[in-house]
Amino acid sequence: MSVARPNARLLARTCARQSLTARTQVRNYAAPGEGTIPAAKRKYVPTSGTYPLGFRAGSAHVGVKPSNTRFDDLALVASDTPCSGAAVFTTNKFQAAPVTVSRDTLKKRSGEGVRAVVVNSGCANAVTGKGGIEDAIRMGQETDKCFIEDSNGEDDGKGSRSIVMSTGVIGQRLPIQKIVDKVPTAYYNLGGTHDHWLSAARAICTTDTFPKLVSRTFTLPSSDKEYRIAGMTKGAGMIHPNMATLLGIICTDAPVAPAALQSALTSAITKSFNSISIDGDTSTNDTVAILANGAAGGETISTTSPDFNAFADTLTAFAIDLAKLVVRDGEGATKFVTIRVTNAKSYADAKAVGNAIAKSPLVKTALYGKDANWGRILCATGYAEGVGPDGIVPEETSVSFVPTDGSPKLKLLVKGEPEQVDEARAAKILESEDLEIEVRLSERDDGEHATVWTCDFSHEYVTINGDYRT
C-alpha cells in the first residue's frame, strides 16, 4: 500500500502560522506575575472603602518565588486588640501545614484572643512533612512577637495568637528565613487606609489578575449603631467545594462571641465559597478566616442574641460577593455563569445538580464557544451524584437561558420536551459576559433551590496551568 507524501509547502505554511500564533498570543484574561490588571477586570477593583475600626493591614516583599523581584508577597492583617476568631478549612485529605497549624491555634484558644492573620503567596507549604509544620508554626510565632510590646508581654498560656495562611506551588518548602525576616516589615507597614488594605489584597494573589477586596457598613436590629466589615480573598484556579482553592480574610468591628462567629461563618461558607466552581479541583490550602474585635461597641452577639440571625445574614451576603469575585477572575475565564436550580426536593439535591453542571468540561467549553448545547447541561443534571430518590424526574425537568437584559428567558427544554430553539437569539445571549442557566427539577411550588457560580473553559486555562511552575 502506498502512503501519500505530505505536501511540503502546505506543511511549511501551517508550521509558520502555528509559530506566529505562539509568539503573538495575548493573555486577555490572566496575566499572573505581570502586575497589570486586564482592562475588563479593572471595574472590580475598588478605589475606596470603609474599613472596620481597630484593624490594620500591611504587606511586604519577600521574593518567595525567586522570579518575583518586585511584588509584595507577604500580607498581614491585625487587630489593635485581642479579638474573636473563626475559620473554615479545606476538606482535602492532604491538608497543608498552615491549615493544620491554624486549626490547632483556634482550637487551643477556643477562638479567643486572636491578633492577626499572616499570609505568604508563592509557596503553599503543602505536602512538606514535619518541616512544613515547623515553618508554619514559626511564621505564627514571629508574627506574635510583633504584638508583645502592645500586649504588655502578656502570655495567656494558650499559644500563638496568629492565624497562618500560605498559597502557591504544592510540594515545596518555604524560604522560611526570608519570610520571618520580613514579618517585622509587614508589621511596620500596617495602616488603616484603603491603600493599605488594597496592598495586602494584592500581596496574597498568585494567578489572580486583580486584588479582590470588599468593604461595607451595616446595622443590626437592636440599635442604630453602624458597624463595618471588610474582606479580601484570592483564588483563580483549583476552585471547587469544599472549599475552593482560595484564601479569605474577613474583619468586622462588631462584637461577636467566638462560638457565634464560627456558626455564622460556617453557614455563610455554604452559600458562598462552597457554591463556586472554576475547574472542579479542591485545594490543599483553602482557608477563610474571620476576626471580630468589637471596636465599634455594643452588646456582645452570641448564638442566642436577637441580633445573631441578622449578623449571620449580613455575613452570608458579604461572603457571596467576595466569592463571586473569585469566579470573575477564573483562570482564562471569559464568562461569569450563574446556575440556578429550582423546585428540588431538597437543598442538597439542588446543590448537587448545580455543582455537576458547574464542573462539567463539556458545558464549560460550550459556553466558551457560545454554543447553546443544552444537551450537555441536561446530561450533567442526570449524572449529578448524591441526588436522592426521585430527585430528578426527566418528564418534569426544564432548562432555560435567562438573559441579563431583562428580556424573556430562552426555553430550551420544558417538562422533558425539547423546544424549537432560536439559535440566533441563543448565540446573542451567549455573547454576554454574564450568563444565567435555570434548571427546574419539578413543577412543585414548595421546592428547594440552590445557586452555584462558575465560569467557562478557554484555551488560556490550559496555557496558564501548563506553565504554572515556570
Side-chain angles (χ1 to χ4, degrees):
M1 178 185 295
S2 63
V3 178
R5 300 177 63 183
N7 185 315
R9 185 174 299 176
L10 177 61
L11 183 61
R13 287 201 301 266
T14 301
C15 290
R17 284 197 300 270
Q18 290 175 341
S19 178
L20 179 63
T21 299
R23 291 197 305 270
T24 60
Q25 181 182 19
V26 177
R27 290 186 173 184
N28 295 314
Y29 296 92
E34 296 172 13
T36 56
I37 300 173
K41 307 294 184 180
R42 291 173 192 159
K43 60 189 174 184
Y44 302 119
V45 182
T47 57
S48 63
T50 304
Y51 298 98
L53 302 177
F55 280 102
R56 295 173 292 154
S59 62
H61 174 256
V62 175
V64 173
K65 294 181 72 172
S67 59
N68 176 17
T69 60
R70 59 196 180 104
F71 299 112
D72 285 2
D73 50 1
L74 182 67
L76 182 63
V77 179
S79 171
D80 292 340
T81 58
C83 61
S84 299
V88 176
F89 301 96
T90 181
T91 58
N92 192 301
K93 298 298 182 183
F94 289 94
Q95 299 192 349
V99 169
T100 300
V101 170
S102 294
R103 180 185 285 110
D104 289 347
T105 293
L106 289 171
K107 183 177 180 180
K108 290 176 181 177
R109 303 203 64 83
S110 299
E112 298 177 340
V114 180
R115 290 300 301 272
V117 179
V118 61
V119 190
N120 77 270
S121 62
C123 178
N125 190 12
V127 198
T128 46
K130 294 180 179 179
I133 295 291
E134 294 170 358
D135 291 343
I137 291 173
R138 190 175 175 195
M139 275 183 67
Q141 291 175 337
E142 293 298 322
T143 303
D144 292 337
K145 291 178 182 179
C146 296
F147 302 98
I148 289 178
E149 184 175 342
D150 60 20
S151 297
N152 299 317
E154 295 179 0
D155 181 359
D156 60 4
K158 296 181 180 179
S160 177
R161 295 179 181 271
S162 301
I163 295 172
V164 179
M165 300 182 186
S166 296
T167 182
V169 178
I170 295 171
Q172 297 179 2
R173 287 286 297 275
L174 291 174
I176 189 61
Q177 191 58 50
K178 291 173 65 176
I179 290 174
V180 298
D181 285 347
K182 288 299 182 74
V183 168
T185 303
Y187 177 77
Y188 177 80
N189 290 337
L190 286 174
T193 70
H194 173 70
D195 286 344
H196 285 95
W197 281 85
L198 190 61
S199 293
R202 283 196 186 102
I204 67 176
C205 292
T206 50
T207 59
D208 307 63
T209 66
F210 67 92
K212 301 163 186 62
L213 178 66
V214 177
S215 65
R216 64 182 54 149
T217 61
F218 66 96
T219 58
L220 296 172
S222 65
S223 73
D224 57 0
K225 186 180 295 293
E226 184 177 75
Y227 294 107
R228 285 147 290 268
I229 186 169
M232 63 186 73
T233 186
K234 64 82 48 186
M238 204 181 282
I239 304 289
H240 189 71
N242 291 298
M243 232 195 11
T245 182
L246 56 87
L247 302 181
I249 305 166
I250 301 172
C251 301
T252 180
D253 53 19
V256 189
L261 199 62
Q262 184 66 64
S263 178
L265 180 64
T266 300
S267 176
I269 292 296
T270 299
K271 294 187 176 181
S272 58
F273 291 106
N274 272 352
S275 291
I276 62 175
S277 181
I278 288 177
D279 49 19
D281 273 324
T282 297
S283 174
T284 55
N285 289 60
D286 315 331
T287 303
V288 175
I290 182 170
L291 304 181
N293 64 6
E299 294 293 325
T300 300
I301 301 169
S302 68
T303 54
T304 58
S305 297
D307 284 337
F308 174 73
N309 288 337
F311 173 75
D313 290 344
T314 296
L315 179 58
T316 296
F318 182 82
I320 286 173
D321 286 346
L322 266 182
K324 285 181 178 180
L325 290 178
V326 175
V327 178
R328 294 274 182 197
D329 202 21
E331 290 174 343
T334 71
K335 307 290 184 188
F336 177 86
V337 185
T338 299
I339 302 170
R340 300 193 191 279
V341 183
T342 65
N343 294 36
K345 291 188 69 173
S346 68
Y347 174 78
D349 284 356
K351 187 70 169 292
V353 170
N355 279 337
I357 298 169
K359 69 179 184 180
S360 166
L362 290 178
V363 171
K364 296 160 84 67
T365 51
L367 295 175
Y368 172 67
K370 305 179 182 65
D371 179 8
N373 194 340
W374 57 267
R376 295 180 177 182
I377 299 170
L378 200 65
C379 181
T381 299
Y383 66 59
E385 297 181 356
V387 177
D390 301 322
I392 299 173
V393 181
E395 295 78 14
E396 295 186 14
T397 302
S398 300
V399 178
S400 301
F401 286 146
V402 182
T404 57
D405 61 5
S407 60
K409 66 180 66 173
L410 178 61
K411 298 179 181 180
L412 308 170
L413 183 79
V414 177
K415 291 190 282 188
E417 294 292 333
E419 294 289 289
Q420 186 65 41
V421 178
D422 183 342
E423 294 290 346
R425 184 169 182 238
K428 184 67 175 177
I429 292 172
L430 292 173
E431 286 178 359
S432 300
E433 178 184 348
D434 286 28
L435 307 171
E436 182 175 330
I437 298 171
E438 179 187 81
V439 178
R440 290 170 57 92
L441 294 182
S442 75
E443 293 303 304
R444 63 173 63 88
D445 295 326
D446 59 347
E448 298 289 333
H449 70 276
T451 304
V452 176
W453 295 275
T454 190
C455 59
D456 57 347
F457 264 167
S458 70
H459 302 287
E460 194 168 316
Y461 178 84
V462 178
T463 301
I464 294 167
N465 286 282
D467 63 12
Y468 180 76
R469 295 203 303 167
T470 56

